[in-house]
């Protein structure tokens, strides 16, 4: 098998591959990559280099992992998962990602394709008008400095208390939409300046809001689907992909600078300056953890406000209230975060960067609602193909620190994609395939063309084959809002 | 004054990378600045109703370029603007580099402007600034 690396890669199973510690000096644990042989061959060299760099970080436990949607990132690969002992290990912004708590949210409805199709253009106009997207777009919620402090501490809970959502939304969000260990004093004025007007905005890049349809033949586990409110029958659902916007990025940027100095003081050396880190128990480590959690709460709040505007848009077009339209949250899950979790090794700080928590039914950390199904996992594909609703497994908890994939993963750069198609041309092609696209930036649209991504079905089949996630339903796009 | 820039195809799969070059260090800064402005919006479609004067100093040239470009990203978010131009001058005194520049642009309006990417930050991934023959060059990867 020809791979984009000179390192030895050993087959563990058909979906799990291991790079032993002998392949790079200072590796403390082996690196494990999830993927079929085909996926492994398509991975860029950065994945192999970066996952083995992560395996050298102090306090890492068991393996440095990369999911099948993995590709080159900053420091950690996208798709990277690594767990560190909370006493001896480090925390690294490069293991969280710049867009702290970038994540996915899925909202169900009682509407069907037959209900929505005749009014889809109007629905997309309403969504585009109510959910600001793209460069520099400000949100509709005007925050004071003290409001923003409250958002940093309370996350989505603050939004619900202000009328932007329902209390039961919180029960269907990772961590209840609010991470507790926060300290707004650890967040810079620059981060606050960038974030204060961005609540309820999508951003650009690969972020989107998508109207999707679930047909009967694309439900793989009817009982679990029904338990999560997914009935099939051409049911309409809405997916949101975004994070903490400029706020989270500024937090990451600020602490990369802090950690670059701290590493010298703590005698830590890393193989890539974007892997800058500090001991988790150090003052710098604790400050970043608190600031990162503030950004994570900002992201939960951002998706909550967007959910409120999605419900308003549907109500404006389809009449009765959002409650009567059955617009319940299925789940909200992060895919860029570091969290303290308990495993056989003890308390570990699990970094997931472009990777989703995937706790199985046996996990006591889940709310009772998900103790039979397992935790919902929402994975977005390209805007031309489809997305998936999955659930976590107990095997994921045993093998991957309760983690799985987050999306399909790019295979082509933005510059290359733009050379192959123009935004207007792509918009027209997608319309012919039954997908209405509203985009702020036509060049940004071209960059997100389906051919720039791996086939998400291949990625999903890999994680299901590996037993770390189970498919519930495939979601097909009919409308997409892009920044 | 002479500078140029080009976007790199194979450097940043999920983000955007550019290489800027100039006859002088000041030209290089102007080239990198123009590349960043073009990444966010077509400057020709952006008016000049908003401006902000920026002064920054640093002993290290490469750190100063990151700080300057990051400042542009900051004001994009903090003021909700995109940019028409950003004239600048660069001086070196007592071992420190000083950049004095103006950000000139207008509030974001997608009905009037050709908007492109919402840049979230300037990274140090594969970042380099240096002299290549007669030219000063920089490679910058921006997170979008």
């Amino acid at each position: 098998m020809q791979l984009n690396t000179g390192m030895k890669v050993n087959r563990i199973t058909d979906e799990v591959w291991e790079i032993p510690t002998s392949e790079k000096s200072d590796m403390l644990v082996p690196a494990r990559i999830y993927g079929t042989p085909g996926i492994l061959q398509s991975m860029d060299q950065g994945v192999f280099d970066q996952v083995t760099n992560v395996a050298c970080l102090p306090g890492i436990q068991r393996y440095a992992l990369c999911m099948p949607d993995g590709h080159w990132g900053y420091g950690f690969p996208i798709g990277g998962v690594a767990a560190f002992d909370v006493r001896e290990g480090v925390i690294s912004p490069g293991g969280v990602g710049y867009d702290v708590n970038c994540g996915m949210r899925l909202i169900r409805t009682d509407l069907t394709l037959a209900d929505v199709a005749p009014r889809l253009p109007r629905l997309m106009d309403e969504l585009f008008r109510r959910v600001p997207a793209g460069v520099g777009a400000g949100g509709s919620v005007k925050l004071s400095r003290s409001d923003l402090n409250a958002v940093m501490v309370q996350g989505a809970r603050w939004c619900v208390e202000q009328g932007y959502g329902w209390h039961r939304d919180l029960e269907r969000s990772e961590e209840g939409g609010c991470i507790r260990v926060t300290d707004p004093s650890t967040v810079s004025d620059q981060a606050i300046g960038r974030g204060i007007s961005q609540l309820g905005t999508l951003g650009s890049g690969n972020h989107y809001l998508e109207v999707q349809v679930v047909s009967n033949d694309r439900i793989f586990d009817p009982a679990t689907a029904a338990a999560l409110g997914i009935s099939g029958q051409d049911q309409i659902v809405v997916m949101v992909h975004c994070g903490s916007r400029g706020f989270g990025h500024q937090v990451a940027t600020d602490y990369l600078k802090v950690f670059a100095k701290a590493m010298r003081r703590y005698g830590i050396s890393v193989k890539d300056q974007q892997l800058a880190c500090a001991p988790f128990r150090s003052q710098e480590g604790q400050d970043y953890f608190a600031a990162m959690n503030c950004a994570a709460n900002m992201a939960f709040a951002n998706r909550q406000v967007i959910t409120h505007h999605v419900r308003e848009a549907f109500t404006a077009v389809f009449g009765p209230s959002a409650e009567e339209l059955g617009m319940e949250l299925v789940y909200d899950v992060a895919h860029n975060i570091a969290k303290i979790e308990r495993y056989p090794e003890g308390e570990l700080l699990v970094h997931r960067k472009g990777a989703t928590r995937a706790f199985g039914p046996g996990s006591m950390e889940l709310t009772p609602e998900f103790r039979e199904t397992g935790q919902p996992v929402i994975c977005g594909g390209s805007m031309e193909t489809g997305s998936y609703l999955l659930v976590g497994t107990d095997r994921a908890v045993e093998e991957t620190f309760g983690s799985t994939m987050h999306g399909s993963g790019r295979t082509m750069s933005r510059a290359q994609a733009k050379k192959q198609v123009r935004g207007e041309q792509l918009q027209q092609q997608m319309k012919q395939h039954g997908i209405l696209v509203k985009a702020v930036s036509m060049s940004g649209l071209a960059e997100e063309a389906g051919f720039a991504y791996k086939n998400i079905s291949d990625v999903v089949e890999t994680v299901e084959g590996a037993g770390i996630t189970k498919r519930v339903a495939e979601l097909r796009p009919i409308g997409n809002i892009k920044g | 004054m002479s500078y140029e820039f080009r976007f790199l195809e194979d450097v940043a799969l999920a983000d955007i990378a550019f290489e800027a070059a100039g006859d002088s260090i000041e030209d290089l800064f102007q080239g990198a600045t123009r590349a960043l402005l073009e990444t966010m919006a077509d400057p020709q479609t952006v008016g000049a109703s908003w401006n902000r004067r920026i002064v920054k100093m640093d002993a290290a040239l490469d750190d100063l370029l990151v700080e300057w470009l990051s400042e542009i990203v900051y004001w994009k978010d903090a003021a909700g603007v995109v940019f028409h131009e950003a004239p600048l001058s660069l001086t070196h005194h007592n071992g420190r580099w000083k950049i004095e520049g103006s950000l000139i642009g207008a509030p974001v309006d997608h009905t009037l402007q050709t908007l492109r990417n919402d840049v979230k930050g300037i990274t140090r991934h594969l970042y380099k600034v240096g002299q290549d023959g007669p030219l000063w060059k920089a490679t910058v990867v921006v997170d979008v």
Side-chain angles (χ1 to χ4, degrees):
Chain A
M1 187 165 56
Q2 189 65 40
L3 301 178
N4 290 317
T5 179
M7 285 187 263
K8 185 198 287 181
V9 181
N10 298 322
R11 177 186 170 280
I12 304 298
T13 69
D14 285 345
E15 293 90 12
V16 185
W17 305 81
E18 183 170 299
I19 305 173
T21 53
S22 56
E23 292 304 293
K24 185 178 276 187
S25 63
D26 304 326
M27 276 176 75
L28 300 171
V29 294
R32 282 196 166 186
I33 300 174
Y34 282 69
T36 59
I39 285 178
L40 204 67
Q41 283 177 300
S42 73
M43 282 178 167
D44 53 278
Q45 186 185 339
V47 170
F48 302 97
D49 290 343
Q50 293 186 323
V51 74
T52 48
N53 288 344
V54 172
C56 303
L57 291 174
I60 189 165
Q61 301 293 303
R62 223 185 303 172
Y63 307 109
L65 298 165
C66 185
M67 297 296 121
D69 48 337
H71 61 84
W72 166 93
Y74 302 122
F76 278 53
I78 308 297
V81 177
F84 299 86
D85 184 294
V86 294
R87 293 155 304 168
E88 310 292 333
V90 294
I91 185 168
S92 172
V96 171
Y98 283 101
D99 190 357
V100 175
N101 190 5
C102 186
M104 308 294 296
R105 183 172 267 235
L106 186 67
I107 305 153
R108 70 173 300 285
T109 76
D110 286 336
L111 295 165
T112 66
L113 182 59
D115 299 322
V116 170
R119 286 184 267 181
L120 185 61
R122 190 175 155 217
L123 175 64
M124 298 311 292
D125 286 344
E126 283 289 339
L127 290 167
F128 195 60
R129 188 171 68 79
R130 290 168 190 268
V131 181
V135 183
S140 60
V141 183
K142 302 301 171 204
L143 298 177
S144 66
R145 176 78 180 242
S146 66
D147 289 336
L148 184 56
N149 276 2
V151 169
M152 287 188 238
V153 174
Q154 297 173 43
R157 187 169 297 281
W158 181 88
C159 305
V160 169
E161 285 170 4
Q162 303 299 313
Y164 299 104
W166 308 335
H167 280 282
R168 56 189 181 275
D169 294 341
L170 303 175
E171 293 159 18
R172 295 174 188 146
S173 298
E174 184 172 349
E175 297 291 329
C178 170
I179 296 177
R180 284 177 187 80
V181 183
T182 59
D183 179 357
S185 74
T186 60
V187 174
S188 70
D189 287 341
Q190 284 83 358
I192 287 164
R194 290 181 68 180
I196 200 158
S197 63
Q198 292 188 326
L199 192 62
T201 61
L202 264 184
S204 70
N206 63 353
H207 296 146
Y208 59 83
L209 187 165
E210 198 162 84
V211 180
Q212 302 168 335
V213 62
V214 195
S215 54
N216 281 354
D217 63 336
R218 303 314 293 165
I219 290 190
F220 306 99
D221 180 346
T224 302
L228 298 177
I230 301 300
S231 57
Q233 315 282 350
D234 286 343
Q235 180 186 13
I236 296 297
V237 297
V238 182
M239 183 174 280
V240 178
H241 176 215
C242 63
S244 50
R245 311 280 287 108
F247 182 92
H249 200 293
Q250 192 63 44
V251 167
T253 300
D254 292 341
Y255 280 92
L256 277 171
K257 278 188 257 180
V258 171
F259 284 9
K261 289 179 186 159
M263 283 198 303
R264 289 196 286 274
R265 188 157 57 253
Y266 296 112
I268 298 172
S269 63
V270 292
K271 293 193 182 290
D272 175 348
Q273 59 178 338
Q274 301 268 348
L275 282 175
C277 57
F280 180 58
R281 289 297 186 212
S282 67
Q283 188 61 53
E284 295 89 343
Q286 291 294 294
D287 285 350
Y288 169 64
F289 189 56
M292 180 204 68
N293 286 338
C294 288
N297 285 341
M298 168 74 176
F300 282 131
N302 194 32
R303 294 193 288 271
Q304 184 64 46
V305 171
I306 289 173
T307 300
H308 174 74
H309 291 315
V310 168
R311 286 171 173 154
E312 283 183 333
F314 271 74
T315 303
V317 177
F318 298 103
S321 67
E323 284 95 337
E324 287 170 286
L325 293 172
M327 297 189 71
E328 299 290 340
L329 186 62
V330 175
Y331 204 63
D332 180 304
V333 69
H335 54 227
N336 274 8
I337 203 156
K339 294 171 72 176
I340 298 173
E341 295 168 3
R342 181 160 284 282
Y343 291 93
E345 292 89 342
E347 275 201 329
L348 303 180
L349 182 68
V350 181
H351 292 60
R352 297 189 181 95
K353 178 185 181 179
T356 312
R357 194 184 74 172
F359 285 175
S363 174
M364 293 307 290
E365 294 196 35
L366 296 181
T367 52
E369 188 171 354
F370 301 116
R371 293 226 184 106
E372 284 196 12
T373 58
Q375 176 218 303
V377 171
I378 304 160
C379 292
S382 79
M383 61 186 178
E384 288 189 82
T385 53
S387 299
Y388 279 85
L389 174 64
L390 308 98
V391 284
T393 64
D394 293 336
R395 187 162 166 189
V397 176
E398 290 160 18
E399 284 191 14
T400 58
F401 303 108
S403 310
T404 190
M405 60 179 283
H406 84 306
S408 46
R410 286 190 81 95
T411 56
M412 184 183 286
S413 73
R414 293 180 178 279
Q416 285 172 317
K418 272 194 296 196
K419 271 194 166 177
Q420 297 205 11
V421 71
R422 288 177 55 248
E424 292 84 352
Q425 183 190 353
L426 181 63
Q427 190 179 38
Q428 205 52 39
Q429 285 170 4
M430 290 179 67
K431 190 175 178 184
Q432 284 163 8
H433 290 112
I435 307 168
L436 276 188
V437 181
K438 303 274 291 181
V440 173
S441 161
M442 282 297 149
S443 64
L445 180 64
E447 292 170 8
E448 290 295 316
F451 56 72
Y453 284 85
K454 288 176 197 159
N455 181 344
I456 191 168
S457 297
D458 293 345
V459 182
V460 166
E461 282 165 21
T462 301
V463 293
E464 185 161 81
I468 57 173
T469 333
K470 274 177 28 187
R471 284 182 300 181
V472 176
E474 186 180 352
L475 319 167
R476 180 171 58 82
I478 58 167
N480 188 298
I481 304 283
K482 282 212 61 64
Chain B
M1 179 193 81
S2 173
Y3 65 77
E4 58 187 21
F5 64 88
R6 66 187 178 101
F7 291 99
L8 305 173
E9 285 191 16
D10 299 314
V11 173
L13 206 60
D15 293 307
I16 291 174
F18 59 79
E19 183 185 78
D23 291 336
S24 66
I25 299 171
E26 188 174 279
D27 288 345
L28 168 66
F29 271 59
Q30 286 173 341
T33 301
R34 187 71 185 183
L36 178 61
L37 267 47
E38 294 265 3
T39 303
M40 296 190 280
D42 178 353
Q44 300 308 317
T45 66
V46 179
S49 59
W50 179 94
N51 70 78
R52 173 78 50 167
R53 184 169 165 73
I54 310 289
V55 178
K56 289 210 159 275
M57 295 177 74
D58 202 299
L61 199 58
D62 54 351
D63 288 343
L64 185 65
L65 181 58
V66 169
E67 289 297 316
W68 163 249
L69 297 177
S70 298
E71 192 74 14
I72 297 173
V73 173
Y74 171 78
W75 284 108
K76 179 262 300 171
D77 282 346
V81 296
V82 281
F83 307 97
H84 177 68
E85 62 176 340
L88 62 90
S89 66
L90 194 69
T91 52
H92 191 235
H93 188 62
N94 286 342
R96 287 173 72 80
W97 293 94
K98 180 180 182 184
I99 188 167
E100 295 177 84
S102 294
L103 306 182
I104 299 169
V108 168
D109 182 343
H110 70 85
T111 64
L112 299 175
Q113 300 151 349
T114 302
L115 300 173
R116 290 174 179 155
N117 291 281
D118 195 7
V119 175
K120 290 184 286 189
I122 310 300
T123 80
R124 287 183 180 262
H125 183 79
L126 303 175
Y127 177 62
K128 57 184 176 190
V129 177
Q131 211 165 0
D132 183 6
L135 292 176
W136 281 88
K137 285 187 174 178
T139 303
V140 182
V141 177
V142 302
D143 191 25
V144 299

Coordinates of all heavy atoms in Angstrom, one line a residue, chain A residues 333-382:
Chain A
V333 N -23.5 19.4 19.5 CA -22.3 18.7 19.9 C -21.1 19.5 19.4 O -21.1 20.0 18.3 CB -22.3 17.2 19.5 CG1 -22.2 17.1 18.0 CG2 -21.2 16.4 20.2
A334 N -20.1 19.5 20.3 CA -18.8 20.2 19.9 C -17.9 19.3 19.1 O -17.9 18.1 19.3 CB -18.1 20.7 21.2
H335 N -17.1 19.9 18.2 CA -16.0 19.1 17.7 C -14.7 19.8 17.7 O -13.7 19.3 17.1 CB -16.4 18.5 16.3 CG -16.8 19.5 15.2 ND1 -17.9 19.3 14.4 CD2 -16.3 20.7 14.9 CE1 -18.0 20.3 13.6 NE2 -17.0 21.2 13.8
N336 N -14.5 20.8 18.5 CA -13.2 21.5 18.8 C -13.2 21.8 20.2 O -13.6 22.9 20.6 CB -13.1 22.8 18.0 CG -12.6 22.6 16.5 OD1 -12.4 21.4 16.1 ND2 -12.2 23.6 15.9
I337 N -12.6 21.0 21.1 CA -12.7 21.3 22.5 C -11.7 20.4 23.3 O -11.3 19.4 22.8 CB -14.2 21.1 23.0 CG1 -14.4 21.9 24.3 CG2 -14.5 19.6 23.1 CD1 -15.9 22.2 24.5
A338 N -11.4 20.8 24.5 CA -10.7 20.0 25.5 C -11.5 19.8 26.7 O -12.0 20.9 27.3 CB -9.3 20.5 25.8
K339 N -11.7 18.6 27.2 CA -12.6 18.4 28.4 C -12.0 17.4 29.3 O -11.3 16.4 28.9 CB -14.0 17.9 27.9 CG -14.7 18.9 27.1 CD -15.9 18.4 26.5 CE -17.0 18.1 27.6 NZ -18.2 17.7 26.9
I340 N -12.3 17.6 30.6 CA -11.8 16.6 31.6 C -12.8 15.4 31.6 O -14.0 15.7 31.9 CB -11.7 17.2 33.0 CG1 -10.6 18.3 33.0 CG2 -11.3 16.1 34.0 CD1 -10.5 19.1 34.2
E341 N -12.3 14.2 31.4 CA -13.2 13.0 31.4 C -12.5 11.9 32.2 O -11.3 11.9 32.3 CB -13.6 12.6 30.0 CG -14.4 13.7 29.3 CD -14.5 13.4 27.8 OE1 -14.0 12.4 27.3 OE2 -15.1 14.3 27.1
R342 N -13.3 11.0 32.7 CA -12.7 9.9 33.5 C -12.6 8.6 32.7 O -13.6 8.2 32.0 CB -13.6 9.6 34.7 CG -13.0 8.5 35.6 CD -13.6 8.6 37.0 NE -13.0 9.7 37.8 CZ -11.8 9.7 38.4 NH1 -11.0 8.6 38.3 NH2 -11.3 10.7 39.1
Y343 N -11.4 8.0 32.6 CA -11.1 6.8 31.9 C -10.4 5.8 32.9 O -10.0 6.3 34.0 CB -10.3 7.1 30.6 CG -11.2 7.8 29.6 CD1 -11.2 9.2 29.6 CD2 -12.0 7.1 28.8 CE1 -12.0 9.9 28.7 CE2 -12.9 7.8 27.9 CZ -12.9 9.1 27.8 OH -13.7 9.8 27.0
P344 N -10.1 4.6 32.5 CA -9.4 3.7 33.4 C -8.1 4.3 33.9 O -7.6 4.0 35.0 CB -9.2 2.4 32.5 CG -10.3 2.4 31.6 CD -10.6 3.9 31.3
E345 N -7.4 5.1 33.1 CA -6.1 5.7 33.5 C -6.3 6.8 34.6 O -5.4 7.2 35.2 CB -5.5 6.4 32.3 CG -5.0 5.4 31.2 CD -6.0 5.1 30.1 OE1 -7.2 5.4 30.4 OE2 -5.6 4.6 29.1
G346 N -7.6 7.2 34.8 CA -7.8 8.3 35.7 C -8.5 9.5 35.0 O -9.1 9.3 33.9
E347 N -8.4 10.7 35.7 CA -8.9 11.9 35.0 C -8.0 12.3 33.9 O -6.8 12.5 34.1 CB -9.1 13.0 36.1 CG -10.3 12.9 36.8 CD -10.7 14.2 37.5 OE1 -9.8 15.0 37.8 OE2 -11.9 14.5 37.6
L348 N -8.6 12.5 32.7 CA -7.8 12.8 31.6 C -8.3 14.1 30.9 O -9.6 14.3 30.9 CB -7.7 11.7 30.5 CG -7.2 10.4 31.0 CD1 -7.3 9.4 29.8 CD2 -5.8 10.4 31.5
L349 N -7.4 14.9 30.4 CA -7.9 16.1 29.6 C -7.9 15.6 28.1 O -6.8 15.5 27.5 CB -6.9 17.2 29.8 CG -7.3 18.5 29.0 CD1 -8.6 19.1 29.6 CD2 -6.2 19.5 29.1
V350 N -9.1 15.4 27.6 CA -9.2 14.9 26.2 C -9.4 16.1 25.3 O -10.3 16.9 25.4 CB -10.5 14.0 26.1 CG1 -10.6 13.4 24.7 CG2 -10.4 12.8 27.1
H351 N -8.4 16.1 24.3 CA -8.5 17.2 23.3 C -9.1 16.5 22.1 O -8.7 15.5 21.6 CB -7.1 17.6 22.8 CG -6.3 18.3 23.9 ND1 -6.0 17.9 25.1 CD2 -5.7 19.6 23.8 CE1 -5.2 18.8 25.8 NE2 -5.1 19.8 25.0
R352 N -10.2 17.2 21.5 CA -10.8 16.7 20.3 C -10.8 17.9 19.3 O -11.3 19.0 19.6 CB -12.2 16.3 20.5 CG -12.4 15.1 21.4 CD -13.8 14.6 21.5 NE -13.9 13.4 22.4 CZ -14.3 13.5 23.7 NH1 -14.7 14.7 24.1 NH2 -14.3 12.5 24.4
K353 N -10.1 17.7 18.2 CA -10.0 18.8 17.2 C -10.5 18.3 15.9 O -9.8 17.5 15.2 CB -8.5 19.2 17.1 CG -8.3 20.3 16.0 CD -6.8 20.6 15.9 CE -6.6 21.7 14.9 NZ -5.2 21.9 14.8
G354 N -11.7 18.7 15.5 CA -12.3 18.1 14.3 C -12.6 16.7 14.6 O -12.5 15.8 13.8
A355 N -13.0 16.4 15.8 CA -13.5 15.1 16.3 C -14.6 15.3 17.3 O -14.6 16.3 18.0 CB -12.3 14.3 16.9
T356 N -15.5 14.4 17.3 CA -16.8 14.5 18.1 C -16.8 13.6 19.2 O -16.4 12.4 19.1 CB -18.0 14.2 17.2 OG1 -17.8 14.9 15.9 CG2 -19.3 14.7 17.8
R357 N -17.3 14.0 20.4 CA -17.5 13.1 21.5 C -18.6 12.1 21.1 O -19.5 12.5 20.4 CB -18.0 13.9 22.7 CG -17.9 13.1 24.0 CD -18.5 13.8 25.2 NE -20.0 13.9 25.1 CZ -20.8 14.4 26.1 NH1 -20.2 14.8 27.2 NH2 -22.1 14.4 25.9
A358 N -18.4 10.8 21.4 CA -19.3 9.8 21.0 C -19.6 8.8 22.1 O -19.3 7.6 21.9 CB -18.7 9.1 19.7
F359 N -20.1 9.3 23.2 CA -20.4 8.4 24.3 C -21.5 7.4 24.0 O -22.5 7.7 23.5 CB -20.7 9.2 25.6 CG -19.5 9.9 26.2 CD1 -19.7 10.8 27.3 CD2 -18.3 9.7 25.7 CE1 -18.7 11.4 27.8 CE2 -17.2 10.4 26.3 CZ -17.4 11.2 27.4
G360 N -21.3 6.2 24.5 CA -22.3 5.1 24.3 C -23.3 5.1 25.3 O -23.3 5.9 26.3
P361 N -24.3 4.2 25.1 CA -25.5 4.2 26.0 C -25.1 4.0 27.5 O -25.8 4.4 28.4 CB -26.3 3.0 25.5 CG -25.9 2.7 24.1 CD -24.4 3.2 24.1
G362 N -23.9 3.3 27.7 CA -23.5 3.0 29.1 C -22.9 4.2 29.8 O -22.7 4.1 31.0
S363 N -22.8 5.4 29.2 CA -22.1 6.5 29.8 C -23.0 7.2 30.8 O -24.1 7.7 30.4 CB -21.6 7.5 28.7 OG -21.1 8.6 29.4
M364 N -22.6 7.3 32.0 CA -23.4 8.0 33.0 C -23.3 9.5 32.8 O -24.1 10.2 33.5 CB -22.9 7.6 34.4 CG -23.1 6.2 34.8 SD -24.8 5.7 34.6 CE -25.6 6.6 35.9
E365 N -22.5 10.0 32.0 CA -22.4 11.5 31.8 C -23.5 11.9 30.9 O -23.7 13.2 30.7 CB -21.0 11.8 31.1 CG -19.9 11.5 32.1 CD -18.6 12.2 31.7 OE1 -18.7 13.3 31.2 OE2 -17.6 11.6 31.9
L366 N -24.2 11.0 30.2 CA -25.3 11.4 29.3 C -26.6 11.7 30.2 O -26.8 11.0 31.2 CB -25.6 10.4 28.3 CG -24.5 10.1 27.3 CD1 -24.9 9.0 26.3 CD2 -24.1 11.3 26.5
T367 N -27.4 12.6 29.7 CA -28.7 12.8 30.3 C -29.6 11.5 30.1 O -29.3 10.8 29.1 CB -29.4 14.0 29.8 OG1 -29.5 13.9 28.3 CG2 -28.7 15.3 30.1
P368 N -30.5 11.3 31.0 CA -31.3 10.0 30.9 C -31.9 9.8 29.5 O -32.0 8.7 29.1 CB -32.4 10.2 32.0 CG -31.8 11.2 33.0 CD -30.9 12.1 32.2
E369 N -32.3 10.9 28.8 CA -32.9 10.8 27.5 C -32.0 10.0 26.5 O -32.5 9.4 25.6 CB -33.1 12.2 27.0 CG -33.9 12.3 25.7 CD -34.2 13.7 25.4 OE1 -34.0 14.7 26.2 OE2 -34.8 13.9 24.3
F370 N -30.7 10.0 26.7 CA -29.8 9.4 25.7 C -29.1 8.1 26.3 O -28.2 7.6 25.7 CB -28.7 10.4 25.3 CG -29.3 11.6 24.6 CD1 -29.2 12.9 25.2 CD2 -30.1 11.5 23.5 CE1 -29.8 14.0 24.6 CE2 -30.7 12.6 22.9 CZ -30.5 13.8 23.5
R371 N -29.5 7.6 27.5 CA -28.9 6.5 28.1 C -29.2 5.2 27.4 O -28.6 4.2 27.6 CB -29.2 6.4 29.5 CG -28.5 7.6 30.3 CD -27.8 7.2 31.5 NE -27.4 8.4 32.2 CZ -27.9 8.9 33.3 NH1 -28.9 8.3 33.9 NH2 -27.4 10.0 33.8
E372 N -30.3 5.2 26.6 CA -30.6 4.0 25.8 C -30.1 4.0 24.4 O -29.6 3.1 23.8 CB -32.1 3.7 25.7 CG -32.7 3.2 27.1 CD -34.0 2.6 26.9 OE1 -34.5 2.4 25.8 OE2 -34.6 2.4 28.0
T373 N -30.1 5.3 23.8 CA -29.7 5.4 22.4 C -28.2 5.5 22.3 O -27.6 5.2 21.3 CB -30.3 6.7 21.8 OG1 -29.9 7.8 22.6 CG2 -31.8 6.6 21.8
G374 N -27.5 6.1 23.3 CA -26.1 6.6 23.1 C -26.2 8.1 22.7 O -27.3 8.6 22.2
Q375 N -25.1 8.8 22.8 CA -25.1 10.2 22.5 C -25.2 10.5 21.0 O -24.5 9.9 20.2 CB -23.8 10.8 23.0 CG -23.6 12.3 22.7 CD -22.2 12.5 22.4 OE1 -21.3 12.3 23.2 NE2 -21.9 13.1 21.2
P376 N -26.1 11.4 20.6 CA -26.2 11.7 19.2 C -24.9 12.3 18.7 O -24.2 13.1 19.4 CB -27.3 12.7 19.1 CG -28.2 12.4 20.3 CD -27.2 12.0 21.3
V377 N -24.5 11.9 17.5 CA -23.3 12.5 16.8 C -23.7 13.0 15.5 O -24.4 12.3 14.7 CB -22.2 11.4 16.6 CG1 -21.1 11.9 15.7 CG2 -21.7 10.9 18.0
I378 N -23.4 14.3 15.2 CA -23.9 15.0 14.0 C -22.7 15.2 13.1 O -21.7 15.9 13.6 CB -24.6 16.3 14.4 CG1 -25.8 16.0 15.3 CG2 -25.1 16.9 13.1 CD1 -26.2 17.2 16.1
C379 N -22.7 14.7 11.9 CA -21.5 14.8 11.0 C -21.9 15.4 9.7 O -22.8 14.9 9.0 CB -20.9 13.5 10.8 SG -20.1 12.8 12.3
G380 N -21.3 16.6 9.4 CA -21.7 17.3 8.2 C -20.8 16.9 7.0 O -19.6 16.8 7.1
G381 N -21.5 16.6 5.9 CA -20.7 16.3 4.7 C -20.6 17.6 3.9 O -20.8 18.7 4.4
S382 N -20.2 17.5 2.6 CA -20.1 18.6 1.8 C -21.5 19.1 1.5 O -22.5 18.3 1.6 CB -19.4 18.3 0.5 OG -20.3 17.7 -0.4

